[in-house]
Amino acid sequence: MAADRFAGPLASAWPDVGAARLEKLLLPSELALPVPPAPRRGTWAEPHVHGPTLAGLRASAERDRATPWPTPLASQYARYHRDGDRDTYERRVFARQRRLTRAAVVAAVILDDGWLDEVVDGVTLLCEQSSWCWPAHDDTHTAHGAVLPTVTDPYLDLGAGEVAAQLAWIDHLLGEPLDAYAPGLRARVRHEVDRRVLTPFTTRRDWHWLGLDGDVHNWNPWIHGNVLVAALRLVDNQTRRAALVDLVVEGLDRYVAALPVDGAVDEGYEYWWNGACRALEALDILAHATSGALDGVPGDALRHTVAFPHRVHLGGPWYLNHADGAARPTTNQPWHALHRAARRVGDREAQAHAAAHRRPAAPVAGAEQGLGRLLRALTDPSWVRTAPGGSPLPRDVWLPSTQVMLARRTAGSVEGLTLAVKGGHNGEHHNHNDVGSVVVALNAVPVLVDAGRPTYTAQTFGPDRYGIWTMRSTWHNVPHVRATGQSPGRAFAARDVTHATDDTRAEATMDIAAAYPRPDLRHWWRTARLERHRGRVVVVDAWEFDPTTEPPPTHVHLLVAGQVRLGGGRAEVTALDGAGRVGLSWRPASAPCAATVRAVEDPMLFDVWGARLHRLAIDVTAFGPAGELVLTVEELAPHEAFLGGAP
């Protein structure tokens, strides 16, 4: 191993890893990927493929064939630089790739000329596409002053990695039939993947996602995993293959080293699938490609991260969301990948959580997850035989790296109230200004909520990110202190965070004063507590300011989903999804409360919350420079009158 090579958990587990050893270990390209190719009819002949899965894929593929191929346009690419719209172009790119994925699977089963033609057309269209990079990531504008791709200087981003891996999987799955049917196509694939992905990967080593500056995020394993697949399949020279894979291993090592020991992901649940999960998938492929010589899941962080999805599961389709995640994300995730990783580390609860999402009578995670993931789902015998089960729903979760607590009354049950609270800092990946925020769910359905994020635009990751309302602390369940919201940056953080739990309660306490750019705020202590024996949540805010004669107003904000009714010192919320009702009460009851309706127009947010959210602002200005507000949240019986009238 070179003296200047990064040495993390992977290097510790495999001390003699390096290009020279990999050159001897790597299986030949036709054996390097863990999926049988289409000529293995024992896997791919129609009777052997799971019926509902194939039926669903084939029905979609047949509908595709009756329409023109999606065509991403140059003007749509340029829109990102003109008006910030990245979604219009990306939707067409994604639709093209998904159509090709469906066609490739059906072609592997049917192996007739019509389906091979569909694959040939899709592959050629990708090879002729000016850029595989998504417009929001391309440096064409800063490097060349262009708003269109600079084809002589391709940018290696998530999109380029995804296309390279998709083409590699197609080459693996259908290489022999395509050689007979469309000679020359595979050579074109190798040329395009090399010039757009593999050569830039090796010659330009300033990619931000490498993590050379210590800032490692989900791009690292996502891109490295796709480069690994492309290198294993599409590079014929064993010395170059080994050099590429060696760089991949070192890059993955940086990500694994940065993953906290508790396995938490500061980007949140949705990003786990394209971060930690991608790392686990890459290591699984690496183990196969080296015949088990580089096997295992090195390091406590990787083993513990397998538990992260079920540890932040509220129940049903709902998850604890922070950063840019959604509270009700798509359930169409690569559950087989979680199941496989859980089997490898022996985590039965994570296996159970994955199995809870197995739908034998419906298609598996489909084309939107990428061809490689779809092929693994179809051909993993342990996953195919897995019977559906129930999610473990642990009673208590504490993730010290992100200072996130989740607590419910009883393990394995969604009944009653679930409390989550987050400390942390405002410099996290995909950060929202939300230090001290609480989420409360009733029967798994969020009532006091984190809105999530709207559709990505140029603003999302630009200098005006916190002009987006969902990113600001004013639309999270935190105080608005003397007319001041929280600021972004790692320095704006919770202090003196403690956590305690037993059979009667679970609570977290923290001082969130440092999250606000106000030197006159000495302390803002927040304690959030689930009282299991009483079935209620209590949030205590206690503050201390420097005195002033006429202070700006201070409010405690609550973002609420559902129908809201207000009364003196109280509010009643009818939760979404028919989950029931909760009563909110606060002391002093004299603190006035105003409600603001927030219309929800963005389709991503609308799909989760419907047409509106409500913000309650409890005014505590009058209680002086040192005071306390106690908020109580409790479930209401079906016919219980809470505001003095009929429910």
Side-chain angles (χ1 to χ4, degrees):
M1 187 169 60
D4 60 349
R5 181 189 180 93
F6 180 79
L10 302 188
S12 297
W14 309 318
D16 57 346
V17 72
R21 185 176 180 224
L22 285 166
E23 190 170 350
K24 299 175 183 177
L25 288 178
L26 290 176
L27 292 172
S29 59
E30 64 270 17
L31 302 175
L33 298 181
V35 169
R40 294 269 293 274
R41 303 313 290 160
T43 298
W44 291 107
E46 194 158 1
H48 300 284
V49 181
H50 185 53
T53 297
L54 178 61
L57 286 169
R58 186 167 183 177
S60 295
E62 292 282 10
R63 288 193 294 271
D64 290 340
R65 283 211 297 180
T67 65
W69 277 87
T71 304
L73 301 175
S75 58
Q76 295 163 348
Y77 199 98
R79 281 193 65 177
Y80 175 77
H81 303 285
R82 291 172 176 162
D83 62 17
D85 179 0
R86 55 183 283 179
D87 190 55
T88 301
Y89 179 87
E90 287 178 4
R91 278 189 284 110
R92 295 203 180 188
V93 167
F94 299 159
R96 172 180 278 187
Q97 289 182 250
R98 291 167 183 171
R99 174 169 173 167
L100 178 55
T101 285
R102 288 187 287 266
V105 173
V106 177
V109 175
I110 307 300
L111 277 184
D112 72 358
D113 292 355
W115 286 108
L116 288 174
D117 271 336
E118 179 81 346
V119 171
V120 169
D121 286 343
V123 168
T124 303
L125 284 169
L126 285 181
C127 289
E128 293 177 347
Q129 193 170 297
S130 292
S131 176
W132 295 344
C133 177
W134 299 339
H137 303 158
D138 199 347
D139 65 354
T140 183
H141 191 261
T142 55
H144 304 285
V147 298
L148 298 175
T150 303
V151 297
T152 55
D153 187 17
Y155 192 88
L156 176 49
D157 77 324
L158 302 175
E162 279 290 288
V163 175
Q166 181 179 27
L167 293 176
W169 282 111
I170 289 172
D171 189 89
H172 174 76
L173 182 68
L174 294 166
E176 185 178 315
L178 288 173
D179 259 349
Y181 190 71
L185 182 67
R186 296 176 69 199
R188 175 73 186 278
V189 165
R190 280 160 172 73
H191 170 74
E192 297 295 345
V193 170
D194 185 44
R195 78 173 183 88
R196 298 172 189 247
V197 173
L198 299 180
T199 291
F201 176 65
T202 55
T203 59
R204 178 175 171 180
R205 300 302 292 167
D206 64 343
W207 302 110
H208 71 86
W209 44 265
L210 293 175
L212 300 179
D213 60 355
D215 182 22
V216 190
H217 49 82
N218 71 307
W219 281 41
N220 176 299
W222 193 345
I223 295 175
H224 278 110
N226 283 328
V227 169
L228 175 66
V229 170
L232 288 173
R233 179 61 197 181
L234 300 177
V235 177
D236 299 319
N237 181 288
Q238 185 74 341
T239 300
R240 187 171 185 234
R241 280 177 89 221
L244 285 161
V245 173
D246 188 40
L247 282 177
V248 167
V249 173
E250 184 181 6
L252 289 171
D253 207 7
R254 292 182 184 276
Y255 178 81
V256 176
L259 198 64
V261 171
D262 59 18
V265 175
D266 65 354
E267 295 158 305
Y269 166 78
E270 278 196 283
Y271 288 86
W272 182 90
W273 295 101
N274 282 322
C277 186
R278 294 278 185 177
L280 291 163
E281 290 173 283
L283 293 177
D284 187 52
I285 288 175
L286 187 65
H288 174 87
T290 59
S291 300
L294 302 185
D295 197 3
V297 183
D300 290 339
L302 271 180
R303 290 191 291 273
H304 291 157
T305 200
V306 172
F308 183 72
H310 73 259
R311 297 184 84 187
V312 294
H313 185 209
L314 294 174
W318 297 95
Y319 284 78
L320 173 62
N321 64 310
H322 49 85
D324 277 347
R328 186 162 56 186
T330 174
T331 58
N332 198 8
Q333 301 288 3
W335 296 104
H336 61 92
L338 173 59
H339 194 265
R340 190 178 309 111
R343 298 195 312 260
R344 295 184 74 195
V345 303
D347 189 327
R348 294 187 178 276
E349 288 196 339
Q351 275 186 251
H353 184 63
H357 295 82
R358 173 89 170 106
R359 300 290 181 265
V364 295
E368 61 270 24
Q369 289 298 327
L371 179 57
R373 283 176 158 178
L374 179 56
L375 294 177
R376 297 302 310 270
L378 290 168
T379 58
D380 179 346
S382 295
W383 174 249
V384 170
R385 292 194 300 265
T386 294
S391 184
L393 299 171
R395 190 188 75 171
D396 291 293
V397 174
W398 172 244
L399 300 169
S401 67
T402 52
Q403 298 175 344
V404 168
M405 181 189 87
L406 186 147
R408 49 177 55 87
R409 293 186 67 181
T410 306
S413 173
V414 301
E415 292 184 4
L417 296 177
T418 297
L419 168 67
V421 60
K422 176 187 177 296
H425 59 82
N426 283 334
E428 296 167 336
H429 297 114
H430 292 264
N431 179 72
H432 291 198
N433 290 336
D434 60 355
V435 171
S437 186
V438 297
V439 168
V440 177
L442 173 64
N443 301 325
V445 180
V447 178
L448 302 184
V449 309
D450 183 317
R453 60 95 173 169
T455 303
Y456 282 160
T457 66
Q459 183 182 3
T460 310
F461 299 105
D464 194 30
R465 175 179 175 85
Y466 296 97
I468 301 170
W469 67 272
T470 65
M471 316 295 185
R472 301 199 299 265
S473 66
T474 47
W475 290 96
H476 284 83
N477 297 320
V478 297
H480 193 56
V481 175
R482 288 187 169 175
T484 304
Q486 296 183 10
S487 288
R490 194 179 185 93
F492 297 94
R495 301 180 298 200
D496 301 323
V497 180
T498 62
H499 166 257
T501 184
D502 57 31
D503 289 341
T504 64
R505 59 88 167 91
E507 71 177 28
T509 298
M510 61 194 71
D511 182 1
I512 61 174
Y516 296 85
R518 291 206 65 96
D520 57 344
L521 176 58
R522 298 173 182 172
H523 297 286
W524 191 293
W525 288 101
R526 166 161 281 192
T527 297
R529 179 171 63 249
L530 172 67
E531 298 180 349
R532 300 188 219 275
H533 57 303
R534 295 180 175 177
R536 69 182 189 182
V537 167
V538 177
V539 180
V540 181
D541 285 309
W543 57 88
E544 183 181 348
F545 289 98
D546 291 338
T548 185
T549 53
E550 294 184 13
T554 295
H555 297 86
V556 174
H557 284 168
L558 303 172
L559 189 63
V560 180
Q563 298 178 357
V564 179
R565 293 199 302 154
L566 276 178
R570 294 188 166 207
E572 180 186 303
V573 182
T574 302
L576 302 174
D577 293 355
R581 295 182 302 135
V582 298
L584 312 178
S585 58
W586 51 90
R587 302 192 314 271
S590 59
C593 180
T596 301
V597 176
R598 180 83 205 198
V600 175
E601 298 173 345
D602 181 86
M604 289 191 66
L605 296 174
F606 185 92
D607 286 348
V608 177
W609 306 116
R612 64 187 61 84
L613 290 167
H614 298 81
R615 184 180 67 187
L616 306 184
I618 303 173
D619 191 339
V620 298
T621 312
F623 303 131
E628 180 179 274
L629 181 79
V630 180
L631 170 73
T632 301
V633 185
E634 53 194 323
E635 182 178 6
L636 301 178
H639 302 292
E640 180 179 354
F642 187 70
L643 295 180

